[in-house]
Structure formats: structure tokens, C-alpha cells
Amino acid sequence: MSKIKLKKGDTVKVISGEARGQSGKIISIDVQKSRALVEGVNMISKSEKPNAKNTNGGIVKKEGPIHISNLMYLEGGKGVRLGRKINEKTQKLERISSKTKEAVK
């Protein structure tokens, strides 16, 4: 299992699968399964019983999980690969863009 370089809140683009070409922000990541929920991407229909939040119940559209390998980090509207490097000043591990060689937030 490789290190997951994407984080919650990153803007990503789907590079393969049914939702290819769509982009959005990462809502959550499941590290064990290597899957992420991306806002507005890979929408699935789920049946829900009536509850306090939704008194009627019925069919609800939700985001479905996508495998991490099918996502690419977006920087300035273009997809870039991410690497990791130790910052000499702070001695902390940072994510860096493969194109600009600069640290990613």
C-alpha cells in the first residue's frame, strides 16, 4: 500500500472511470480502502427511510466513493502529480508539485 498524497479539501479531477473529466473537492478519504468522496462526482441513488432530518424518506442522490488512483490533483486548472520532499528550513515533509517544484498548500 502506497502513501496517499491527496488530502481532504484538495481540488481533484477524475482521470478514469465513469465520471472521467469531472472535478470537485475531496469531502473525505478512507485510507484503508484507498477511496475518496469527491463533491458532486460519481453520484449514486440511495433509498432512505424516514427520519428526523428527512421526514418523507425516499430516493436520495449521494456521492459514491472513487479509488484514489483515479484522481489527479488540480493546480491552476491543470492536473499535476504530487511528490514529497523534506523542507530544509522547517525539517518537515511537504507535498510538492512535479511541474513547478513548489510546495502545495
Side-chain angles (χ1 to χ4, degrees):
M1 186 161 83
S2 65
K3 173 75 177 161
I4 295 174
K5 294 172 184 160
L6 298 172
K7 289 182 177 180
K8 179 181 173 180
D10 284 350
T11 305
V12 292
K13 181 179 183 178
V14 181
I15 56 173
S16 69
E18 222 173 271
R20 181 180 183 169
Q22 296 179 6
S23 60
K25 278 192 174 181
I26 294 179
I27 299 169
S28 67
I29 295 179
D30 185 354
V31 180
Q32 267 70 37
K33 294 181 182 175
S34 295
R35 293 185 165 270
L37 286 178
V38 182
E39 199 174 88
V41 178
N42 193 27
M43 299 301 280
I44 57 172
S45 298
K46 282 200 82 113
S47 299
E48 279 196 0
K49 288 186 176 180
N51 55 32
K53 241 187 210 178
N54 186 4
T55 53
N56 293 337
I59 298 169
V60 179
K61 290 269 190 187
K62 286 181 146 182
E63 288 92 357
I66 302 174
H67 199 271
I68 293 287
S69 65
N70 296 334
L71 300 175
M72 185 171 231
Y73 184 80
L74 279 180
E75 183 178 60
K78 294 204 173 192
V80 294
R81 288 183 301 202
L82 294 177
R84 297 176 343 139
K85 186 178 176 184
I86 294 176
N87 186 334
E88 286 136 24
K89 292 178 184 175
T90 60
Q91 295 300 314
K92 290 190 177 183
L93 198 61
E94 289 183 336
R95 299 185 302 162
I96 58 165
S97 166
S98 63
K99 284 186 180 173
T100 60
K101 305 290 184 207
E102 291 179 7
V104 174
K105 61 166 178 63

